[in-house]
Amino acid sequence: MRLLQLVQRRAGIARRKAQRLIEQGEVRLDGQTLTNPFLEVDPETVRELEVRGRRVPLEPREPAVYKLYKPAGMLSSLYDPKHPNTVGRLLQRRGLGGQGLAIAGRLDRDAEGLLLLTNDGELVNFLTHPRYEVEKVYHVVIPRLLPYRHVYEMFRKMQRGVRDGGEVLRIRRGRIVERSRNRTVLELVLTEGKKHEVKRLIKHFKLPLERLVRVGHGPVALGKLRPGELKRLTTPERRALEALKKRLGSPSSGAR
Ligand code: URA
C-alpha cells in the first residue's frame, strides 16, 4: 500500500490533504519522517503512525453501514451503463462513490424500501446468506378487501411452504397491517432471500400486488426514512446488528 493510502484510510483524510501533509513533513511512520506520498509501505508491519504530531490508531476504522430508502424504479445495482437510475449513481451524488459500499440484499426495480449498504464484506454475507436466517420484513399492498379467513389460511400455507419453479418458498410469519374496503396490507417475514420470493408467493395465491415495500432487515427498520433518503446507521442500530451477528453467526448457534 502507498503511504498516501495508509494516511488517507487510517486518519480519514482526503487524498489531496494527505498528500500535502506528507510532502510538508507532517507524517511520521515508526518515528521516521517520510515525505514521499507514493512510498510503498506494508500496513501489517507499521507500529506507529503520527500525523501533525498526533498518533493515529492503527486498527482498521469502524466499517460503515448505511440504510437507504430505495424508491420504486431505481435499480439495486452499483453500476449499469444502460440505466441512469441506480443505487450507485445515488451514492456518487452523495459523495459516497468509490468507498467500497456493497448492497446487502437487492430489491427488484419496482419494489421499494430498505436497502442496507456497507463496506464490510462479512456483514454483507451475514445479512444475505440464507443459513443465517436473518429476517426481512415486507409490506405488500393488495388492492382489494381480503376476508380474514382467506388471509389466515394463506399465511398457514405460506408457513408450511409453497412449491414454485422447483423451489419451496416459505414465510416465517405473517400479519395483517391494514384492511379497508378496497385494500389489504399484509406483513410477511422471510429469511431466505430467493429471487422474487414475495411476488411469487402472492402470485401463487392469484392475488394482485400493488406495492412491495421492505420495511425491515434484521434489527434495522426503514422507520421514517423517505424515498431516496440515505442515513448512516445510528449507534443503537449498529449495536443491534452486531448483537444479532454474534447470536446467529456463532458456530454454536446451529445457523450454519
Ligand atoms: N421479493 C420480491 O419478490 N422482490 C423483492 O424485491 C424482494 C423480495
Side-chain angles (χ1 to χ4, degrees), residues 106-111 138 194-200 212 214:
R106 291 159 183 255
L107 283 170
D108 294 338
R109 189 173 175 183
D110 54 355
Y138 296 93
K194 291 189 175 123
K195 209 162 185 200
H196 308 312
E197 52 187 352
V198 176
K199 286 181 186 164
R200 285 158 69 195
L212 171 55
R214 181 149 72 203

Side-chain angles (χ1 to χ4, degrees), residues 79-96:
Y79 176 70
D80 191 316
K82 289 193 227 102
H83 295 278
N85 189 11
T86 60
V87 169
R89 286 275 181 109
L90 181 137
L91 291 178
Q92 268 170 10
R93 285 200 299 275
R94 307 286 157 90
L96 290 170

Side-chain angles (χ1 to χ4, degrees), residues 25-254:
E26 298 274 17
V27 172
R28 284 161 70 86
L29 211 60
D30 293 335
Q32 198 185 350
T33 302
L34 299 174
T35 54
N36 177 3
F38 306 104
L39 186 75
E40 282 292 331
V41 295
D42 179 357
E44 299 296 319
T45 61
V46 173
R47 281 171 285 109
E48 194 178 282
L49 171 67
E50 275 176 63
V51 178
R52 281 192 169 145
R54 288 179 61 178
R55 269 177 87 149
V56 174
L58 282 171
E59 310 81 61
R61 296 170 70 77
E62 274 220 326
V65 193
Y66 291 85
K67 62 179 185 180
L68 165 69
Y69 188 137
K70 182 193 93 64
M74 181 180 277
L75 218 58
S76 295
S77 161
L78 292 176
Y79 176 70
D80 191 316
K82 289 193 227 102
H83 295 278
N85 189 11
T86 60
V87 169
R89 286 275 181 109
L90 181 137
L91 291 178
Q92 268 170 10
R93 285 200 299 275
R94 307 286 157 90
L96 290 170
Q99 301 216 356
L101 291 174
I103 301 168
R106 291 159 183 255
L107 283 170
D108 294 338
R109 189 173 175 183
D110 54 355
E112 56 191 293
L114 181 62
L115 275 190
L116 292 178
L117 302 154
T118 178
N119 57 2
D120 178 349
E122 207 183 284
L123 184 58
V124 173
N125 186 49
F126 169 69
L127 287 167
T128 55
H129 198 294
R131 77 174 169 212
Y132 298 114
E133 299 184 4
V134 176
E135 292 187 350
K136 287 115 195 147
V137 186
Y138 296 93
H139 283 182
V140 297
V141 180
I142 313 285
R144 66 169 66 147
L145 174 66
L146 298 179
Y148 283 109
R149 218 164 43 91
H150 178 153
V151 174
Y152 291 119
E153 180 59 20
M154 184 170 74
F155 285 162
R156 263 193 298 280
K157 287 185 178 159
M158 285 181 174
Q159 277 177 311
R160 267 187 252 129
V162 163
R163 285 211 160 270
D164 182 89
E167 286 184 307
V168 178
L169 306 171
R170 196 176 270 121
I171 64 165
R172 180 167 275 178
R173 59 183 182 277
R175 74 180 178 99
I176 298 173
V177 176
E178 189 192 314
R179 194 171 164 275
S180 59
R181 199 169 49 81
N182 52 8
R183 182 177 132 103
T184 308
V185 183
L186 305 176
E187 180 173 288
L188 301 179
V189 181
L190 290 90
T191 59
E192 290 194 329
K194 291 189 175 123
K195 209 162 185 200
H196 308 312
E197 52 187 352
V198 176
K199 286 181 186 164
R200 285 158 69 195
L201 278 167
I202 298 298
K203 195 169 168 204
H204 180 87
F205 291 93
K206 300 187 172 44
L207 291 174
L209 176 62
E210 190 176 284
R211 259 179 97 192
L212 171 55
V213 189
R214 181 149 72 203
V215 297
H217 193 165
V220 182
L222 182 63
K224 290 192 168 37
L225 221 58
R226 296 159 90 63
E229 208 181 337
L230 176 78
K231 266 195 185 155
R232 202 159 175 150
L233 290 200
T234 61
T235 305
E237 284 173 324
R238 286 189 50 103
R239 287 210 181 118
L241 207 48
E242 278 309 312
L244 184 74
K245 195 161 156 237
K246 237 186 203 158
R247 189 158 63 82
L248 298 183
S250 72
S252 60
S253 70

